[in-house]
Amino acid sequence: MSIVTPCYNAQKVLSRAVGSVRQQTMASWELILVNDRSTDGTAAAAQALASQDPRIRVLDLPENLGSSGARNAGIDAATGSYLVFLDADDEMLPGFLARLTSLMTADTDVVACGHFLVSPDGKVKQRSSKSKGMLLTGEAVRAGMTGALTPFPWDKLYRRELFEGLRYPEGAHRFEDMTMNVALYARSRAVKVCDEPLYRYYVSTGSLTWGRIPSTTDTETVKAHLEANLDSRYRTGAFAPAYAAMRVLMYLLVAQSAAISRDRNTGKRVLSDCRKQLTYGTVAQAARIAPVLAGGAGLLKLWPTAFAALYQRYAARSYGLG
């Protein structure tokens, strides 16, 4: 079992994440802390934590590669049969490894669980994927594209062999998790999903997800990576509506980040870019399988101020952001 944790300026929170691994009921694991050229005391903190447990080792990257590059370095160094990704500011619950491993049967290649979301105001909510149970290859790909499976890497256990010849797309700051999961699902025989919350995810306004506005360039970067690593049959024909829904979802997420940004000028520009990129043809195709996503895209195109206002209220209520 290999656990990969990308670390960038995580000095204040890293001990919590590492402590959650050391408290696992399953004892057979290796934890790879990938210091992504941090500018605070992360390097020293990681080395200090590694000195306390021989199962922990540290990789110091010579340059900052971003979360994708850091994960790739960890994958390259991993020796376990299974891979898990833990964010440096989050924590696993004690039964995370044992429970997911118990669900990884001979015909399963990915196992996903539920999680607790902790907002900046301390409120805790339980969340999980909309799809449940055993999903065969095509079902999992479709669920990943439409958002019915969570886009995260940290609530899942993967067979390491799925990553042979496949790595996270470097250069994108968002959506690399979502598209990478879709590519992995296409390589999987089945994905098993349970509701049980086994991970604690902390929303931080300073994180990559919440602390910056992604650009429409991010969507094009990950889209190109996915097209290079996903068989065309999962992008055309019966899968065309799901593929369109994924593109709609990515632009909606960009627009949502823009809507809650304190940088109003950049936010307005990015919202405008999203409206241009979302064609009515793509929205109409997505509506065949994901009408809610298509409705959100329609609102963004026709009434962007209403879209922004609605999402601002939703973000405040759901994530404690405002």
Side-chain angles (χ1 to χ4, degrees):
M1 174 74 67
S2 297
I3 305 161
V4 175
T5 298
C7 310
Y8 180 71
N9 290 354
Q11 177 185 6
K12 295 180 179 179
V13 294
L14 187 58
S15 62
R16 179 178 66 194
V18 172
S20 76
V21 177
R22 297 185 70 190
Q23 291 168 9
Q24 290 297 298
T25 57
M26 179 178 178
S28 179
W29 49 261
E30 66 172 356
L31 173 59
I32 304 169
L33 302 176
V34 186
N35 175 33
D36 192 20
R37 199 66 178 175
S38 298
T39 58
D40 63 354
T42 296
Q47 291 292 351
L49 290 165
S51 70
Q52 301 171 15
D53 195 316
R55 296 171 295 180
I56 304 172
R57 53 194 171 110
V58 180
L59 294 181
D60 285 307
L61 300 185
E63 60 180 315
N64 178 261
L65 298 179
S67 59
S68 285
R71 286 194 184 115
N72 289 340
I75 294 168
D76 291 341
T79 62
S81 298
Y82 300 119
L83 274 173
V84 167
F85 298 96
L86 168 66
D87 282 0
D89 55 350
D90 294 340
E91 57 186 333
M92 300 172 172
L93 296 185
F96 180 92
L97 296 180
R99 178 60 174 150
L100 293 190
T101 302
S102 73
L103 293 171
M104 183 69 84
T105 52
D107 57 352
T108 307
D109 293 311
V110 182
V111 178
C113 65
H115 64 274
F116 291 111
L117 182 149
V118 184
S119 60
D121 59 9
K123 293 180 180 177
V124 179
K125 295 186 177 183
Q126 182 176 331
R127 299 200 165 185
S128 64
S129 294
K130 295 176 183 176
S131 292
K132 304 291 191 298
M134 180 80 83
L135 306 178
L136 299 181
T137 307
E139 296 172 302
V141 169
R142 188 174 282 108
M145 286 179 174
T146 58
L149 278 175
T150 60
F152 319 115
W154 39 255
D155 59 351
K156 298 175 180 70
L157 173 70
Y158 305 89
R159 288 194 191 277
R160 185 161 65 95
E161 62 194 50
L162 292 178
F163 291 83
E164 291 181 4
L166 179 63
R167 292 294 184 267
Y168 283 90
E170 299 183 25
H173 300 288
R174 284 285 296 276
F175 314 121
E176 73 284 359
D177 299 341
M178 178 194 299
T179 55
M180 182 66 165
N181 273 330
V182 169
L184 291 168
Y185 299 154
R187 293 179 165 210
S188 304
R189 291 164 297 175
V191 176
K192 189 175 293 184
V193 186
C194 73
D195 277 339
E196 189 176 350
L198 298 168
Y199 190 97
R200 192 171 285 116
Y201 167 63
Y202 290 85
V203 176
S204 170
T205 55
S207 70
L208 180 61
T209 301
W210 302 103
R212 66 178 291 275
I213 306 175
S215 70
T216 53
T217 303
D218 287 315
T219 67
E220 296 307 310
T221 298
V222 297
K223 180 172 171 284
H225 175 267
L226 184 59
E227 289 180 351
N229 291 284
L230 184 68
D231 192 289
S232 61
R233 62 181 165 161
Y234 293 119
R235 296 183 275 116
T236 58
F239 283 87
Y243 191 61
M246 185 186 67
R247 299 200 303 276
V248 167
L249 177 57
M250 287 193 291
Y251 284 119
L252 283 178
L253 291 172
V254 173
Q256 288 167 1
S257 294
I260 62 173
S261 173
R262 290 184 171 84
D263 184 346
R264 298 302 182 193
N265 291 331
T266 302
K268 289 180 180 179
R269 176 179 58 77
V270 172
L271 277 172
S272 177
D273 288 344
C274 290
R275 294 175 67 206
K276 292 176 183 177
Q277 294 293 334
L278 275 172
T279 66
Y280 284 111
T282 300
V283 174
Q285 195 170 40
R288 294 167 54 189
I289 193 170
V292 174
L293 290 179
L299 182 63
L300 173 61
K301 285 190 71 69
L302 297 172
W303 197 0
T305 54
F307 173 90
L310 285 172
Y311 187 72
Q312 286 166 5
R313 287 198 289 270
Y314 172 79
R317 184 176 68 253
S318 299
Y319 301 107
L321 300 170

